Structures are given as structure tokens and as C-alpha cells.
Amino acid sequence: MTPIIRTLSLAEIETLVDWAAGEGWNPGRHDAAAFHTADPKGFLGAFVGNEMVAGIAAVAYGADFAFIGLYVCRPDMRGRGYGKAVWDAGMARLAGRTVGLDGVPAQQANYRSMGFVDDYRTFRWSGRFGGAAPSVPVRPLTPNLLGPVVSFDRLHFPAPRTAFLERWILPPHMALVRMDRGRMRGYGVARACREGFKVGPLFADDMDVALALLAALASACGGEIHIDVPDTQREFSAALEAAGLARGFETARMYRGPAPAIRLGGVYGVTSLELG
């Protein structure tokens, strides 16, 4: 049966996030509403007989950059082409843009066959942070700092995402910032997940700022944290290991189209594997 492809409502995005949890992806407890702000029309579902059978996030960050994630087909409906149908619809929606995704090793060859090229790997580090924090003062990130956050974020992310950040930095998420003589030098956000807390983004001018933000966020979380770190951050990764975190699964950041120019050296933790 040919599925109907259409935009998902917020409630249907909640269902898609629940499916992601069922796949073991450990999404945030409030991800759906925050993700929806990034691109309200960017979440598509395949429907058969009024039931959603597959879904995808095909989020456009403006005219030049987009991201694919949350690509899930309901387990009992796999092998019937529904996943491919929603994938094709998502990619068609993003035509003309560089498209990014975070691919697990088992799917990377498939993505390469569709024109995606590896840029860097990420590793998930998990555990209770037990490291000593550098003596770098950090403070809560309040909404009056949205302008500086958007500007700082743009250095480390391929496109502006003002509406998303406006929601992402608000409670119940925990957001901290390092300011130095009126200049932003780093910020980080932690959110409660189905298991523990995820930290992302963690963007900073240097490793001391990144570690100070991470230590403060971990203390505020009071439990196990997870952070997806580019493999280029070798010294930072060693510090995480020394602080008691363990390295887990890996993904590859891949792009179809020209790779964006960002300050990758300042990316200590990616925002999410679902939306980039």
C-alpha cells in the first residue's frame, strides 16, 4: 500500500521521539517541543490507514543548511518501503541545501552511496563526572543573553537557529555561560533524558572553559551524564576519561554538499544527534 506522507503535529513528533526511545537512542524528556521550534514543518511521517508507520526529521536551518535525524520505521512495518518513502520525501524537502546527519557505523556505507561524505567522528562519553573543575567562573544563562548566544552559537554551528535556541536554553533545561568582561567565551546546556542527562551543546573558546561548564552542569544534574564529543577533541576526551566517564558508541558526522565552515575546535559537545 502506498503511504501518505505529511507533516507531523507536535503530538505525532512526541510519538516519533518515543519510537526513538524504543530504539535505545535515549532522547530528552522534553525534546519534541524544543525540536518543533527549529522547523515546525520539518517533521514528516508516512501513514497507512491513518496510522503512522515511519517518520523523519528533515529540518531546514534557512536556505543553505539542513539536518536529517529521527529516522525511524515502526518495527512491525519494516521491509515494506515505508522508511524509504519518508526518507525520499525528507530529502526532497531539503533540496538545494547542504544536508548533515550523524550516522551509526552500520549505516555509513549506505549514506556514502547516497552522496554523504564523512567529516568527523563523535564518541559518546557517559558516567558520573568526578573531575576537578578549573577555576573558571560560570553562571546561569538567562534569556537576556539570547543575542550573544545566537552569535556565539553561529561560530560553532552551520546556520543560525534563533528560535530553537530561545527554547533550548530555557527550563526545564539547565543552561550555563562563561562571560569574560562582557564577552561570551562558552555556553553549555544539559537536559533530562530517559536515562540520565545529556549535555549539548558544549561550545567554548578553550578546554578550561569547557571543563568548567561541564563540571557545573554535571553537579546541577546530580546523576549520570552523556556527551557526544568530536574525535578531534583528544585532550578533552582524555580529561573526560580521567574524570570517570567511559567511551561508548560512535557516529560519524556526514554531509551531502559542501561541508560547512565552523569553528570545530570549539565544539566540545554536539547539540544532539537528532538535529545536529
Side-chain angles (χ1 to χ4, degrees):
M1 183 179 295
T2 302
I4 295 172
I5 309 294
R6 64 166 174 81
T7 303
L8 299 181
S9 67
L10 179 55
E12 289 163 343
I13 298 172
E14 293 274 11
T15 297
L16 184 58
V17 172
D18 285 342
W19 288 1
E23 296 293 318
W25 298 352
N26 193 28
R29 295 188 178 276
H30 308 281
D31 277 0
F35 287 172
H36 183 256
T37 63
D39 180 2
K41 296 182 179 179
F43 298 83
L44 305 178
F47 290 79
V48 174
N50 294 321
E51 290 189 9
M52 185 164 70
V53 296
I56 197 167
V59 171
Y61 292 103
D64 299 318
F65 180 70
F67 205 85
I68 286 280
L70 281 177
Y71 177 38
V72 188
C73 185
R74 217 170 72 188
D76 62 316
M77 291 292 180
R78 290 175 183 171
R80 307 183 193 188
Y82 299 144
K84 184 178 187 304
V86 80
W87 170 275
D88 290 345
M91 291 301 293
R93 180 176 189 270
L94 304 178
R97 299 171 175 87
T98 289
V99 179
L101 58 78
D102 288 307
V104 297
Q107 292 297 323
Q108 288 166 16
N110 184 39
Y111 294 138
R112 291 184 193 109
S113 73
M114 293 184 283
F116 286 86
V117 177
D118 299 56
D119 193 43
Y120 59 87
R121 292 187 299 165
T122 61
F123 290 99
R124 176 159 296 173
W125 291 85
S126 302
R128 288 181 174 268
F129 186 86
S135 56
V136 175
V138 300
R139 62 183 177 87
L141 201 172
T142 47
N144 64 300
L145 290 173
L146 178 63
V149 166
V150 169
S151 297
F152 189 80
D153 185 84
R154 179 63 185 89
L155 299 173
H156 305 88
F157 189 79
R161 47 179 181 171
T162 303
F164 170 76
L165 290 174
E166 188 172 15
R167 181 66 178 260
W168 198 249
I169 66 174
L170 290 179
H173 294 181
M174 294 168 280
L176 298 176
V177 65
R178 164 62 174 158
M179 300 295 293
D180 184 11
R181 293 185 290 275
R183 185 173 71 87
M184 185 169 292
R185 295 199 56 212
Y187 88 98
V189 179
R191 71 193 199 277
C193 294
R194 308 301 171 97
E195 297 178 5
F197 298 79
K198 284 184 182 175
V199 175
L202 181 60
F203 298 159
D205 283 350
D206 58 51
M207 192 173 85
D208 280 352
V209 172
L211 284 172
L213 288 165
L214 181 61
L217 287 168
S219 177
C221 292
E224 185 177 56
I225 63 169
H226 311 275
I227 181 170
D228 296 303
V229 181
D231 67 343
T232 52
Q233 297 288 8
R234 293 180 177 83
E235 187 178 0
F236 182 67
S237 297
L240 296 182
E241 187 171 23
L245 273 64
R247 196 176 84 172
F249 75 89
E250 71 174 270
T251 59
R253 175 60 58 89
M254 308 176 79
Y255 296 111
R256 194 175 81 169
I262 63 169
R263 188 186 290 175
L264 184 58
V267 178
Y268 292 87
V270 302
T271 307
S272 77
L273 301 183
E274 294 84 4
L275 263 64

